[in-house]
Amino acid sequence: MNISLTLSEKTHELLSAIMPPSVASIVEMILIAVVYLTFFAIAGLFLVLLERKVAARFQLRLGPNRVGFQGWFQTVADALKLVSKELTGTVKADKFLYNLAPYFVIITALMALAVIPFAGYFQAFDINIGVLFIIALSSIGVIGILLAGWGSNNKFAMIGAMRSGVQTISYELSVGLSLLTMILITGSLQFSEIVEVQRNGWLIVQGHIPAVLAFMIYMIAGTAETNRAPFDLVEAESELGAGFHTEYSGMKFAYFFLAEFINMFIIASIAVTVFFGAYLSPFGITESLPWLGLFWFLAKALVLLFLMMWFRWTFPRLRIDQLLTLEWKYLLPLNLMNIVLMAVVVWLKLTIQF
């Protein structure tokens, strides 16, 4: 359980002191939504810039360096360009599904951010089934991609969408099972309780070899679930143009583009929370300086984001048969054996304690 109140609880207390409870609840929801939407936009712009800078360094070039100091406002300029672009579409597209798809993808990503414990006080929704909630949302997000492919009435978009469905359903199993492996230690699906268990040491250390294996499987499967290279068959440019969002332009395209980077951040955030102590400092408890907890969380997340970018700019794209073989013949069986191994580790710990 969190020592400090969550963001929503603190906001509700302050507002209830100056206005009626019913009005306070509405204002509270609006304020928290604005905070998260702002974070969503800023994080997306920053991660796009970071991706370009990292790619440039891997390819021995400069990357964005003209707009603003060292190119820091390049993504802002790109965002303004996308906002001003005309929203085009195909004549034969299913207008309702075509227009609905981008919002489906962006809303599920935003909802997932709500349960992430950025700090002891900075968590909008501390639900007791937080891990299950996030896994469920990741399952729903792929529906937006399928709607985009079907609604566009374009064969390349449809092929990309079908690949996304197959890929997400496959690698979702490994993501879920690797998290389930760690839940055997914590005994809880609630993120705040998972963090509390780690006050005496990160779970990746407490869980020994099974925890390290679970982390490795999680990062591979998480990268695949976000449709990033070397698992980017959904948007394989050499085969499908732009894949499922071939027919999108302007802000609708930007929604898909932004959601990919936010989903990357969510994958990294879950890993930080479950394996590396979330906002807890490696050197002790951070309650005396609350903002230091947010710093540690973001610092850990950036390291994992860099790792995912490193994957992208190092490995070549897999074929579809290689993609599915990796999951069904290697990762899934390894995951199932790892859960049994973790259960043995937990049983031995309990036996020694008693």
Side-chain angles (χ1 to χ4, degrees), residues 24-39:
S25 296
I26 296 171
V27 175
E28 169 200 342
M29 288 187 284
I30 293 171
L31 287 175
I32 293 175
V34 169
V35 169
Y36 271 80
L37 284 169
T38 304
F39 176 79

Side-chain angles (χ1 to χ4, degrees), residues 21 43 50 98 114 169-170 228 231-232 291 344:
L50 181 64
Y98 175 84
I169 290 169
S170 298
R228 287 180 56 80
F231 308 102
D232 61 337
W291 287 102
V344 172

Side-chain angles (χ1 to χ4, degrees), residues 131 134-135 138 167-183 214 217-226 267 270 274-275 327 331-332 335:
V131 175
I134 272 199
I135 292 172
S138 67
Q167 185 170 322
T168 303
I169 290 169
S170 298
Y171 281 88
E172 206 170 60
L173 292 170
S174 284
V175 169
L177 289 173
S178 58
L179 293 176
L180 180 61
T181 304
M182 304 311 295
I183 288 166
I217 294 169
Y218 174 83
M219 288 306 296
I220 294 169
T223 303
E225 200 167 0
T226 53
I267 290 292
I270 296 170
V274 174
F275 295 96
E327 165 60 15
L331 294 185
L332 186 59
N335 232 328

Side-chain angles (χ1 to χ4, degrees), residues 184-200:
L184 287 175
I185 302 179
T186 64
S188 175
L189 294 167
Q190 190 168 355
F191 280 119
S192 59
E193 292 186 3
I194 291 172
V195 176
E196 289 300 315
V197 170
Q198 299 179 75
R199 290 197 178 276
N200 298 320

Side-chain angles (χ1 to χ4, degrees), residues 132-166:
L132 188 61
F133 180 77
I134 272 199
I135 292 172
L137 282 175
S138 67
S139 307
I140 295 171
V142 72
I143 295 175
I145 296 175
L146 292 170
L147 290 178
W150 177 265
S152 296
N153 197 20
N154 177 297
K155 62 182 180 181
F156 297 116
M158 189 61 193
I159 292 169
M162 294 304 294
R163 284 182 177 182
S164 177
V166 171

Side-chain angles (χ1 to χ4, degrees), residues 1 10 19 36 54-55 62 69-70 76 82 91 98 109 111 118 138 145 156 171 225 247 252 278 306 329 354:
M1 187 173 65
K10 280 190 172 182
M19 59 183 68
Y36 271 80
V54 169
L62 294 176
F69 176 73
Q70 297 292 319
V76 176
L82 288 169
V91 177
Y98 175 84
M111 287 174 66
F118 296 101
S138 67
I145 296 175
F156 297 116
Y171 281 88
E225 200 167 0
E247 298 293 348
K252 289 179 182 176
F306 174 74
K329 289 188 177 180
F354 286 106

